[in-house]
Amino acid sequence: MPAIWDLPDFDSHEAVHLFEDRATGLKAVIAIHSTHLGPAAGGTRFWHYADSQSAITDALRLSRGMSYKNAMAGLSAGGGKAVILANPSRAKPAELLDAFARAVDSLGGKYVTAQDVGMSEADMVHLSKTTAHVAGLPDQGGDPGPYTARGVYLGVQAAAKHVFGTDDMHGVHVAIQGVGSVGGGLARYLAQQGAKLTLADVDAARAAALAAELGGVSVAADAIMSIEADIFSPCALGAILTEDSVAGLNVKAVAGGANNQLAKGIEGRMLADRGILYAPDYVINAGGIINVLRHIDSADDVEINRRIDAIPGRLSEIWKESDASGSTPAEVADKMAQKLIGR
Ligand code: NAD
């Protein structure tokens, strides 16, 4: 196994902490990518990995992503990520969480944790009994979904403006993949503004019910990426933009809330070559983290809204630079983020 410095996902991370607590069986990684803009903030993932190197790789990759996301959201926060290596039974006893909270606390606030896959709101509250370095607790703003949905709506509108020259959404046809917290909220904003909606979800009844309520139509989950529409909005899973799916798209823009939409990264170039505008995922979906990290610099509701309102402007800046330079929007966003974190 190569040393951590030699792993392909190592990106001059400031620190990578490996924790082990023999009494509770805790094994955890806390990767601090950057504290240039503030404490390294990012969620804790509780996951069963095939091997420990996969866990380290995940922490490296996700913490860099948080640096970029927090920087582009204009937050006084750097990027970090923790992963707890679950055993195959995924047991999560209180003592294990206590040991993890002590690990977080031992970093003295350099890392601030939030909720991620495998961790519940109750788990976060539990951690907060041992360490103060927990963000997004129920009394600090609660569910990030509605904030993310509003930012994604503003980003979809910005995409329409960039492509069609107007941000009037009347009659603009948006195909939404996944109508959960983010996609469902987005659909409501769009319906209010007179957009035409096609919705899909693996829970077909959920998509059909929302389409009936909002005056749209629903299609099968496997059809949503090839229907003819103006904008495709992925709001379900990551890695949905692949060589094949990009070739089948029948839209002018892709703008949605899902994380890590580009399966390998190269799909950003394929979208550009097909003349399809792309809204970099971590820029458009930052509304939730903007709210989750509100206590880091004591932002009030007015400031939270101002930060979310800044999302479309940032996307426009990216698209203009992309048009001028020939770099893809994803490449431009990464470069902007790197500059913001002093790299
Ligand atoms: P959610 O669980 O509330 O909703 C996801 C929906 O997608 C569900 O209704 C599910 O049935 C559906 N779905 C799953 N697989 C699908 C498929 N293959 N095709 C169609 N539908 C499918 O989740 P959410 O909070 O709305 O998050 C959606 C996406 O946005 C995720 O990628 C998440 O990581 C990302 N995201 C969410 C937030 C947030 O604040 N909730 C913030 C940033 C990014």
Side-chain angles (χ1 to χ4, degrees):
M1 175 171 169
I4 290 176
W5 287 286
D6 302 325
L7 291 174
D9 288 291
F10 184 80
D11 176 50
S12 297
H13 286 67
E14 287 178 18
V16 183
H17 301 271
L18 307 181
F19 292 93
E20 180 155 340
D21 181 69
R22 293 183 73 160
T24 60
L26 172 78
K27 276 180 91 172
V29 186
I30 298 181
I32 294 181
H33 179 257
S34 168
T35 56
H36 185 78
L37 293 171
T44 291
R45 184 164 286 195
F46 181 86
W47 194 250
H48 175 63
Y49 291 90
D51 52 55
S52 49
Q53 187 174 324
S54 309
I56 293 171
T57 293
D58 220 17
L60 292 176
R61 198 173 49 81
L62 294 167
S63 59
R64 180 187 51 210
M66 289 312 301
S67 281
Y68 289 8
K69 184 170 190 159
N70 295 340
M72 291 298 273
L75 301 176
S76 311
K81 197 88 184 183
V83 302
I84 300 176
L85 288 76
N87 61 27
S89 73
R90 292 183 163 77
K92 206 194 313 167
E95 303 75 49
L96 184 111
L97 289 178
D98 291 339
F100 176 68
R102 288 194 297 275
V104 171
D105 206 58
S106 74
L107 300 178
K110 269 208 153 188
Y111 170 66
V112 176
T113 185
Q115 199 177 332
D116 193 51
V117 178
M119 293 291 281
S120 67
E121 198 172 90
D123 293 335
M124 302 315 291
V125 171
H126 188 92
L127 296 180
S128 73
K129 290 179 189 151
T130 301
T131 178
H133 309 298
V134 182
L137 292 166
D139 60 351
Q140 294 171 346
D143 180 12
Y147 297 88
T148 305
R150 195 166 85 80
V152 173
Y153 167 68
L154 295 173
V156 167
Q157 194 181 32
K161 182 158 191 203
H162 195 84
V163 175
F164 303 116
T166 167
D167 56 13
D168 180 355
M169 296 305 286
H170 277 96
V172 175
H173 185 183
V174 185
I176 304 179
Q177 179 183 50
V179 290
S181 178
V182 176
L186 169 67
R188 287 177 198 282
Y189 279 114
L190 287 166
Q192 272 166 20
Q193 298 305 317
K196 184 178 163 192
L197 295 176
T198 300
L199 311 178
D201 199 292
V202 281
D203 181 347
R206 189 178 204 182
L210 190 64
E213 181 195 328
L214 300 178
V217 297
S218 65
V219 296
D222 60 6
I224 193 72
M225 289 191 74
S226 51
I227 66 160
E228 189 178 349
D230 295 312
I231 297 174
F232 168 60
S233 188
C235 295
L237 304 175
I240 39 87
L241 297 170
T242 63
E243 221 168 304
D244 284 351
S245 70
V246 170
L249 285 173
N250 218 337
V251 292
K252 301 276 190 300
V254 174
N259 277 316
N260 305 317
Q261 293 167 26
L262 304 173
K264 294 186 192 147
I266 50 159
E267 300 82 3
R269 172 54 60 196
M270 296 171 64
L271 287 166
D273 289 348
R274 289 207 53 209
I276 299 172
L277 186 74
Y278 175 64
D281 43 23
Y282 64 84
V283 181
I284 190 173
N285 73 15
I289 196 75
I290 286 172
N291 188 52
V292 163
L293 297 183
R294 60 162 63 215
H295 83 286
I296 279 191
D297 54 4
S298 311
D300 60 11
D301 287 341
V302 173
E303 177 58 17
I304 296 299
N305 280 328
R306 191 198 62 75
R307 289 174 185 175
I308 295 175
D309 287 343
I311 289 174
R314 197 157 288 124
L315 288 168
S316 299
E317 208 183 316
I318 290 167
W319 293 326
K320 278 187 197 135
E321 171 63 24
S322 165
D323 289 343
S325 67
S327 296
T328 68
E331 289 162 353
V332 171
D334 284 357
K335 270 202 192 121
M336 282 180 165
Q338 281 157 4
K339 198 167 169 201
L340 287 169
I341 64 170
R343 300 216 176 165

